[in-house]
Amino acid sequence: MGKSRSGRRRQADEEAVVERVDGGLAELVPDRDRPRARTLVIDGAPQSHVDPDDPAYLSFEYQRRLGHVIDLVAPPGRPLHAVHLGGGAFTLARYIAATRPRSTQQVVERDAALVRLVRRELPLDPAARIRVRSTDAREGLAKVPDGWADLVITDVFSGARTPAHLTSAEFLDDVRRALKPGGVHAANLADGPPLTHLRGQIATAAARFEQLALVADPAVLRGRRFGNAVLVASDAPLPIAELTRRAASDPHPGRVEHGRALTDFTGGAVPVTDRAAVASPAPPASVFR
């Protein structure tokens, strides 16, 4: 592999940028079907996909589900105040900028080297109102003014695990502080059988928010495989019917659980506190094969 201005590159059908960042070895892998699109992979784990020519296109299953939440959190086209805890390749921030022009967004991404890589190889639209902070997610969230955000998206993984301090009720207290009344929190969670982490996260959100919905592949909900689930929380009623319709129409259909069925799904799990919090489980190696 030779050296170049953009870091160490490996030759395939096209060039993939391969560079060491704070969180490991990052790769921006070309998409053969989309000329400028790239998939961000860190230490072998796919993190996000972005197409600068079509920022409204969401390739990853969990990102499409978060996209549904973005679409439904306010009437179409209305600008949002959005906070993204976890930046990756800024896929969802680009999505909001494309689908809701004049939105104001804050992205908190601890990995400063990753931020520099993505900014260089996949630059943000300079006209988009997107501010990026390179700091810890909870530290960045603490700087968001009270009642500022319509939407807070938590999608933070260290390697392939959510850090423990982003799984607690105390963390959600600060999310609620940053949200406007009736604002929405959406979290990308990852778990596998026996779904202990997922059940605990639902119980924790239920202790802080009035309304919850969970969107996931039915096989994940049945504990048959490791995968992602999107947990949506608010003190205002959630658009369950439309979220259900959209999730069911995805290329990989998802199921929405809410109300009594979601309470029963938790199986008596108790809320997680800072004192007891642990990182989400590591995925089995087979997930990324």
Side-chain angles (χ1 to χ4, degrees), residues 194-241:
L195 300 177
T196 302
H197 172 72
L198 182 57
R199 297 181 204 278
Q201 289 302 284
I202 297 167
T204 305
R208 293 299 185 266
F209 291 94
E210 294 294 325
Q211 304 290 328
L212 300 181
L214 185 72
V215 192
D217 186 303
V220 173
L221 293 176
R222 289 194 290 266
R224 292 183 178 176
R225 69 172 181 86
F226 194 99
N228 294 82
V230 170
L231 180 61
V232 188
S234 179
D235 287 331
L238 294 170
I240 299 297

Side-chain angles (χ1 to χ4, degrees), residues 73-75 78-83 100 102-106 129 141 144-153 172-186 208-210 233-238:
V73 76
R78 178 185 291 179
L80 297 178
H81 284 179
V83 177
R100 296 182 176 276
R102 304 184 311 283
S103 291
T104 302
Q105 303 184 71
Q106 297 187 38
R129 301 175 181 178
L141 178 63
V144 176
D146 292 2
W148 182 85
D150 297 290
L151 175 65
V152 175
I153 296 175
L172 290 184
D173 286 336
D174 210 24
V175 170
R176 286 199 68 189
R177 177 199 60 76
L179 284 171
K180 295 177 181 179
V184 173
H185 178 226
R208 293 299 185 266
F209 291 94
E210 294 294 325
S234 179
D235 287 331
L238 294 170

Side-chain angles (χ1 to χ4, degrees), residues 123-135:
L124 288 167
D125 181 349
R129 301 175 181 178
I130 301 173
R131 179 180 181 181
V132 182
R133 299 174 185 261
S134 295
T135 189

